[in-house]
Every structure is written in C-alpha cells, then in structure tokens.
Amino acid sequence: MLNFYPGPSKLHANIDLHLQQAITSGILSMNHRSMDFMQLYQQVQENFEQFYDLPKDYKVYFTSAATECWTILAQSFPNRSFLHLYNGSFGKKWMEVSKQLEVEHTSVVFDIHGELPVTEINPDTAAEIVCTTLVETSNGTFLSKDIQAAVRETFSDALIAVDATSALAGLSVTWEHADIWFASVQKCFGLPSGLGILILSPTAQHTVEFRSKDIHYNSLKRIVENGASFQTTHTPNILGIYLLAQRLKEIDVTEFFNRNERMNYLYNHFSSHPSLQPLIIEKSVQSATVLTLKGDEEYIKQVKKSLKAQDIIIGSGYGVWKENTIRLANFPAHTDEDFKKLLLVI
Amino acid sequence: MLNFYPGPSKLHANIDLHLQQAITSGILSMNHRSMDFMQLYQQVQENFEQFYDLPKDYKVYFTSAATECWTILAQSFPNRSFLHLYNGSFGKKWMEVSKQLEVEHTSVVFDIHGELPVTEINPDTAAEIVCTTLVETSNGTFLSKDIQAAVRETFSDALIAVDATSALAGLSVTWEHADIWFASVQKCFGLPSGLGILILSPTAQHTVEFRSKDIHYNSLKRIVENGASFQTTHTPNILGIYLLAQRLKEIDVTEFFNRNERMNYLYNHFSSHPSLQPLIIEKSVQSATVLTLKGDEEYIKQVKKSLKAQDIIIGSGYGVWKENTIRLANFPAHTDEDFKKLLLVI
C-alpha cells in the first residue's frame, strides 16, 4: 500500500527500528515523573535546537493534538482579542473554536489564489493574538517567509500564533516569525498519530506566566510550569515522544530543498495534465507539502477508483472542494519512487 | 529492569508482537476517517463486549487520558450538581477540576480504613452526577461491588461516574453499577501511555445527547455523535487503539481471581513483616491492584535504595504519604516470578 493522504500518511522510513528501540530501552514503562522521562523530554528540546535551529529560549511542550492547541489558546487567553487570518477549512475551524469559547475575535478571510494581504488589514483591528495557518492542509496553500515576516512586523505587539500542521518537519521555518507554534506529528514528521507539539517564544512564555487564565489542567500556565522541569500536565504519549526525539535527528535542510523541487515538478507536471489541474493558480502560494488537484467530478471519481485498485491512497477534497479535487501529501516520508508509481496511474 | 510503579508500569507481555503487527498491518498510516480506522474502533467495542462483558448498549469512546475526562465531564455538564466521594489524592484532584471549572459541587471525604459510608450521606445532597474512584491509586483502596451497588441504588436518578484507572482490565466490573466509566491504558492494561477510554451507559448517552453543553471540541456531545459512526473528535492515538484492541482479547477472569489471591498473599505477608505494614488496616477495602506499604521514613529511604540497586522500580508514596510509604502495582503484566524477585529484597 502506498499512502499519499495528507496525514496520517506514510510512516517515516525508520519507524520500525525506532519502535523496537523504544521497547528495548524500557522508556515505555517509565512513569512521566521519572528522571528517564525528563531526560527524554529534554532530548526533544535539544534535538529541536540542534537539528531544526530552534532558538534555545523557545521551549517545547506536548499536547495530545493540534486540535487541542486551538482550545488551549482560547481557554488560556479568554480576555484577549484574537485575529484569525485564513483561507481554508482548518483556519476556519480554529476561528470557530475561538468563537464557541466566546473570546473576542475578528476574521480576515483571504483568497486562495493570492498572498495573505497583510497591508490591507485595518491596522486598528483588535489583535492581541494573531492566528495564522502556515500550510492550509485543506487546499495546499502556505504563507511564504516574506508574508510571515510581514505579519510579525505589522502586529509587533501581538502574540503571533501559527498552526504549523503539515509544515513542521516539512519545511524550513524562521522561529522568530512567531511566538506560538503547534503541530501534530502524523503529518510531515511521519509518526503515528496521537501527539501534539507546542512551542513558545520567550515573549509567549512570559505572557503565559503573568497574564493568562489558569483554571484548566491543560492551561498554558500549567503546561509552561511543568515544562520548566521537563514534565507534563498529564500522562503523555511517551512512545510518541520517544519516536519524535529520534525523528528530529533526521531533519534535513537538503531534504527540504529537494522536496520543494519535487513539488515544483509536480505542479508543472499537472499544469499541463489533460484532466487534473493544480487548484491553486498562483504558484507562489503553493506549499511544498500538500498539492490539491482539481478536475471534473466524474474524472475524480474514476481516478480514485483506479488508485484504489493499485493500492494507492490519496486524500479526498476537503470542504467546498470535496467532490472535485484530490489532495496529495508531499511529505519527507515520500520518495521519488513513490511518486513515479503514482504518476503511472494519474 | 523490573517495574512495580503503579502506572505507567511493566508493559504487557505481548506488546512487542502487537507493535510489530501494528506496523505491518498498515493501520498506522491510515487516516482516522478511513474505513480501516472505523473497523478498528468497532473491534475495540466488540472486544469489550466479548472479553469484558460490556453490555452492547454501553458505548466505548477515546480520549487522551483519564485526566482529560475529569475536564470533559465538568465542561459538558456545567449546570449540574456534582457529588464527589473520595478518600485520596486522585479523587480529590477530580473534585478540584470541578471546582476550578466552577460547577456546583459537594464533597464527601471518607476514611481510608473503612468502606465508603453510603448510608450516612445526607440524602438531600445535590447529586446529579456522582463521582467515585474505583481504585484510589494514591493509597490502594477500592470500592467493593456491594458499595458500588449501594451508590447506584442510593443515587438512582443520578449519573454515576467512575474513575476506573488502576481498575479496568485489572478486576471484574459490573458495568450496570455506573453510567460513566473512564480509565487510562498505562495501568492494568499494561499499554504505553497516551490513551484514555471512556464508556457511557445508554442513560448517559441519552443525557449527553439532549441535555449537555456543546462548545468544546471534546464535548461529550461531539464524542458521542462521532462515536456513533466509530469516529473521533480529533486525530486519536491510533497505535494505542490498535494495541488496546489486541490487549482486550487477553482479559481473563481466571487471571483476575489469581491476582486477587496474590494480593491476599502480599497483604498477609506484609502484615507480619518487621518493618513494612500495609497502609490500609481494613483488608476489605484493599484493592487487588495497588498495595501501599508504610514504614519508618529512614527505612523507606533504605528500601528504595536497595531496590534501585537491584534494578527494581516501585512507586513512592503519594500526597500526605509521600515520605513514609511505597506503592506496589499488582497488575496483570506482573508475574509471580516478578514478586518472588521483589520479596527477596524487601
């Protein structure tokens, strides 16, 4: 079976080995208040620094999923104004969480075929926390580094929050562009699902410590306090954390570059395809990690059928593009050989 | 290394095999909206019915941990009165979650050396949700089936909720005694941490559907709605669910009986020990799964040191008993041989 679903997706190549090591290491029966667990947690922090250029004063925490992070933010900052900038279903879902939890919020919804129009946002918009989606998994667009920098600059007093699902471990990031980063591990990390990563800048940590609400077991305040001694607020997915620690060692800038090239190739390939076209017209906003292809509904049905017959899994369209698009993950776990097989069928 | 910590603890014997099977099965790269995942979820439901006598109309759901379930309950029933019955730290922590989330709540704190005095509770106490802890992991007491039945009878109109951590998969339960059961898998299931199980009676499902608050992604309403088609509210720990499905097949009533006998043996053994005594004086409230032993502080320090030198891990005391007790898990993963080794040292 070959899996291009945009997360959970194909597992990373060394996962067998790392699972086996996890068992023999004994870490899986260690309790989460033990020195062994704390050392493992610390290793994740250090591996983020060493292999993914995380500044030392940015701190790593664990949640159960990126979805939980949306809730954690709204519950920890109930009296702040949230500005949601989005162009797809996942950004919208995040906004809906803020809305349902009754925090003050404003939305700027932008077109999928162009950059986030930072300069056009009314500078008087209440925006103490600016919520962005780095790669929108529902349509495959992303925010370029220039746009991320512009968001950072425009809202210099705000906390910038980034849903980095389908991005972390899949592309190079400039950590200083934001204060709050989070992602799940079943996308570009290529790990089994069931673990969320949350990373906070020094500014975010400070704000959490002195000006956040703390009534939930998973409040940011408790997460940060526990994290200071490499502990968690609950019994975490220790196996997931072990696998993450190993996986971080394989983060590779050359791989980022090569995979970006592969997305270029795929984008160009499908631009001249007779029946499937990239959904995103403006190539500059096409992410390196998720490609959405649009076609006639009947053709899409047929493609899915052919792929299934070949034991190849792809993502269906999402939201308004459910029936007339398919989505392909271009994650680190996927090889050029995988794509050769795929392109023989579509 | 030999691990008697009361969860995360020694892993169940076949975990290597099941992890290997999980990888080769392909389920780990399946997305959680796929048919494969739904079939896996259904298998857990059916295995609970077949191997653990769960009535067919009781439904199984997944959370990230038992700790999360405390929050889910308070958030889903913010306008109901909670009655917390407890005699230890975990029951108290649960009460504190209800308190912090500002639900109406009353506590009845009872002595560790006797049964929960059900008949002495003022029958006029507001109690729409009665919160009990089946095995209190901090001191090792448990609620007998007679007491559980008495709670059920006394509060016949209430929803009875049971924190069944250190109980599920470790002892026989009468599901009809309660409406809301939850537990984490790192205790008696002997699985890697990072998954919570929640089970609701038909009455609880009905109440959730028609009379619960639904503003959180993990509200009971959304959990039940998704669960109706074997789906979850978030990307769950699919590996954990796979391992659970396998582990349930090994639930064994004879094993329950034999392990209860072993606890009898341990209790009697330590009752005549020169330096370590069971903390719980009244044997009838001593659980089959966690044994707390009390001793002189200096002696406890020395015991811990000797055990560590032998590569044997035990639990420290908890809360007020932190310095002068140790805790031993007597979980299904532990063998008689394991205990023989332990008893050579203490």
Side-chain angles (χ1 to χ4, degrees):
Chain A
M1 183 206 313
L2 188 47
N3 195 335
F4 292 97
Y5 191 92
S9 193
K10 188 181 173 189
L11 292 177
H12 200 258
N14 295 329
I15 198 85
D16 297 39
L17 179 68
H18 295 158
L19 273 172
Q20 204 51 53
Q21 286 170 345
I23 294 175
T24 51
S25 75
I27 188 72
L28 300 187
S29 54
M30 285 301 145
N31 87 78
H32 61 296
R33 304 291 177 217
S34 68
M35 190 56 75
D36 300 75
F37 175 73
M38 290 188 275
Q39 284 167 354
L40 172 63
Y41 187 154
Q42 185 169 2
Q43 201 187 327
V44 170
Q45 172 75 36
E46 289 170 359
N47 289 356
F48 259 108
E49 294 165 8
Q50 184 178 348
F51 299 98
Y52 208 3
D53 298 327
L54 186 73
K56 278 194 187 307
D57 48 3
Y58 276 59
K59 296 297 174 196
V60 180
Y61 309 96
F62 303 110
T63 67
S64 62
T67 308
E68 187 191 4
C69 295
W70 298 340
T71 296
I72 288 173
L73 284 176
Q75 287 180 337
S76 294
F77 296 121
N79 301 316
R80 295 190 172 231
S81 52
F82 283 58
L83 171 60
H84 289 270
L85 312 174
Y86 61 89
N87 73 354
S89 299
F90 289 99
K92 189 178 176 202
K93 280 183 184 210
W94 185 2
M95 177 278 292
E96 282 165 354
V97 166
S98 299
K99 183 178 173 182
Q100 289 208 300
L101 296 177
E102 297 177 3
V103 298
E104 181 192 340
H105 66 284
T106 314
S107 293
V108 171
V109 185
F110 59 100
D111 193 74
I112 59 169
H113 299 299
E115 298 275 18
L116 166 63
V118 186
T119 53
E120 292 170 27
I121 299 171
N122 182 340
D124 296 333
T125 309
E128 290 171 294
I129 299 181
V130 178
C131 304
T132 62
T133 304
L134 185 43
V135 171
E136 172 57 61
T137 312
S138 70
N139 58 38
T141 58
F142 89 121
L143 305 180
S144 68
K145 286 211 174 182
D146 286 349
I147 291 294
Q148 292 177 63
V151 170
R152 169 77 285 175
E153 200 177 330
T154 306
F155 300 98
S156 54
D157 292 336
L159 292 178
I160 312 294
V162 179
D163 184 337
T165 301
S166 298
L168 278 201
L171 39 84
S172 145
V173 291
T174 301
W175 297 99
E176 291 82 357
H177 282 158
D179 301 292
I180 300 166
W181 296 82
F182 57 87
S184 293
V185 298
Q186 71 272 14
K187 309 276 181 181
C188 296
F189 284 100
L191 297 178
S193 59
L195 181 68
I197 300 163
L198 172 69
I199 295 178
L200 300 184
S201 73
T203 308
Q205 293 163 47
H206 184 86
T207 309
V208 164
E209 189 177 358
F210 294 103
R211 279 168 287 154
S212 71
K213 190 170 180 183
D214 174 33
I215 64 165
H216 291 86
Y217 84 96
N218 57 355
S219 70
L220 283 176
K221 193 158 199 301
R222 292 182 209 182
I223 288 174
V224 168
E225 275 172 6
N226 276 276
S229 51
F230 299 112
Q231 299 215 357
T232 58
T233 55
H234 61 291
T235 312
N237 180 347
I238 297 179
L239 174 54
I241 295 171
Y242 180 90
L243 296 174
L244 175 63
Q246 310 315 312
R247 174 66 180 83
L248 281 164
K249 296 178 193 163
E250 294 161 352
I251 298 259
D252 177 1
V253 177
T254 314
E255 191 279 327
F256 289 163
F257 179 79
N258 291 341
R259 194 159 28 74
N260 200 24
E261 291 292 292
R262 188 166 68 201
M263 181 56 89
N264 269 327
Y265 173 84
L266 292 168
Y267 190 94
N268 293 336
H269 173 85
F270 285 107
S271 294
S272 55
H273 190 281
S275 313
L276 285 171
Q277 296 286 312
L279 171 69
I280 307 304
I281 297 166
E282 182 56 62
K283 196 175 169 185
S284 65
V285 298
Q286 169 60 54
S287 74
T289 55
V290 179
L291 177 64
T292 306
L293 297 171
K294 192 177 172 180
D296 178 74
E297 275 193 33
E298 273 310 306
Y299 183 79
I300 294 285
K301 262 187 205 158
Q302 187 198 313
V303 160
K304 285 184 186 171
K305 213 170 155 184
S306 312
L307 288 168
K308 201 177 170 185
Q310 302 277 332
D311 225 11
I312 297 177
I313 295 172
I314 50 149
S316 287
Y318 205 95
V320 290
W321 303 291
K322 195 173 172 64
E323 302 301 337
N324 66 343
T325 67
I326 58 171
R327 291 176 303 146
L328 302 177
N330 180 38
F331 288 168
H334 296 111
T335 63
D336 291 350
E337 288 306 311
D338 292 340
F339 275 97
K340 274 185 196 156
K341 284 181 199 157
L342 177 74
L343 294 184
L344 286 177
V345 188
I346 59 174
Chain B
M1 182 206 313
L2 188 47
N3 195 335
F4 292 97
Y5 191 93
S9 194
K10 187 181 173 190
L11 292 177
H12 200 258
N14 294 329
I15 198 86
D16 298 40
L17 179 68
H18 294 157
L19 274 172
Q20 205 50 54
Q21 287 171 344
I23 294 175
T24 50
S25 75
I27 188 73
L28 300 187
S29 54
M30 284 301 145
N31 88 77
H32 60 297
R33 304 292 177 216
S34 67
M35 191 55 76
D36 300 75
F37 174 73
M38 290 188 276
Q39 283 167 353
L40 172 63
Y41 187 155
Q42 185 169 3
Q43 201 188 326
V44 170
Q45 171 76 37
E46 289 170 0
N47 288 356
F48 259 107
E49 294 165 7
Q50 184 177 348
F51 298 99
Y52 209 3
D53 298 326
L54 186 73
K56 278 195 187 306
D57 48 4
Y58 276 59
K59 296 298 174 195
V60 180
Y61 309 96
F62 303 110
T63 67
S64 62
T67 308
E68 186 190 4
C69 295
W70 298 340
T71 296
I72 288 173
L73 284 176
Q75 287 180 337
S76 294
F77 295 121
N79 301 316
R80 294 190 173 232
S81 53
F82 282 59
L83 171 60
H84 289 270
L85 312 175
Y86 61 89
N87 72 354
S89 298
F90 289 98
K92 189 178 176 202
K93 280 184 184 210
W94 184 3
M95 177 278 293
E96 282 165 354
V97 166
S98 299
K99 184 178 172 182
Q100 289 209 299
L101 297 177
E102 297 177 2
V103 298
E104 181 192 341
H105 66 283
T106 313
S107 292
V108 171
V109 184
F110 60 100
D111 192 75
I112 59 169
H113 299 299
E115 298 276 18
L116 165 63
V118 186
T119 53
E120 292 170 26
I121 300 171
N122 182 340
D124 296 334
T125 309
E128 290 170 294
I129 299 182
V130 178
C131 304
T132 63
T133 304
L134 185 43
V135 171
E136 173 52 71
T137 313
S138 70
N139 57 38
T141 57
F142 89 122
L143 305 180
S144 68
K145 287 211 173 181
D146 286 349
I147 292 294
Q148 292 177 63
V151 171
R152 169 77 285 174
E153 200 176 331
T154 306
F155 301 98
S156 54
D157 293 336
L159 292 178
I160 312 294
V162 179
D163 183 337
T165 300
S166 298
L168 278 201
L171 39 84
S172 145
V173 291
T174 302
W175 297 99
E176 291 82 357
H177 283 158
D179 301 291
I180 301 167
W181 296 82
F182 57 87
S184 294
V185 298
Q186 72 272 15
K187 309 275 181 181
C188 297
F189 284 100
L191 297 177
S193 59
L195 181 67
I197 300 163
L198 172 69
I199 295 177
L200 300 184
S201 73
T203 308
Q205 294 163 47
H206 184 86
T207 309
V208 164
E209 189 177 358
F210 294 103
R211 280 169 286 153
S212 71
K213 190 170 179 183
D214 174 33
I215 65 165
H216 291 86
Y217 83 97
N218 57 357
S219 70
L220 283 176
K221 193 158 198 301
R222 292 182 209 182
I223 288 174
V224 168
E225 275 172 7
N226 276 276
S229 51
F230 299 112
Q231 300 215 355
T232 58
T233 56
H234 60 291
T235 312
N237 180 347
I238 297 178
L239 174 54
I241 295 171
Y242 179 90
L243 296 174
L244 174 63
Q246 309 316 312
R247 174 65 181 84
L248 282 164
K249 295 178 194 164
E250 294 161 353
I251 298 258
D252 177 0
V253 178
T254 314
E255 191 280 327
F256 290 163
F257 179 79
N258 291 341
R259 195 160 26 75
N260 200 25
E261 291 292 293
R262 188 166 67 201
M263 181 56 89
N264 270 327
Y265 173 83
L266 291 168
Y267 190 95
N268 292 336
H269 172 84
F270 284 108
S271 294
S272 55
H273 190 280
S275 312
L276 285 170
Q277 296 286 313
L279 171 68
I280 306 304
I281 296 166
E282 181 57 61
K283 195 175 169 186
S284 65
V285 298
Q286 169 60 53
S287 74
T289 56
V290 179
L291 177 63
T292 305
L293 298 171
K294 192 176 171 181
D296 177 75
E297 275 192 32
E298 273 310 305
Y299 183 79
I300 293 285
K301 262 187 204 158
Q302 187 198 315
V303 160
K304 284 184 186 169
K305 213 170 155 184
S306 312
L307 288 168
K308 201 176 171 185
Q310 302 277 332
D311 225 11
I312 297 177
I313 295 172
I314 50 149
S316 287
Y318 205 96
V320 291
W321 302 291
K322 194 174 174 64
E323 302 301 337
N324 66 343
T325 67
I326 58 172
R327 291 175 303 145
L328 302 176
N330 180 39
F331 289 168
H334 296 111
T335 63
D336 291 349
E337 288 306 312
D338 292 340
F339 275 98
K340 275 185 195 156
K341 284 181 199 158
L342 177 74
L343 294 184
L344 286 177
V345 189
I346 59 175

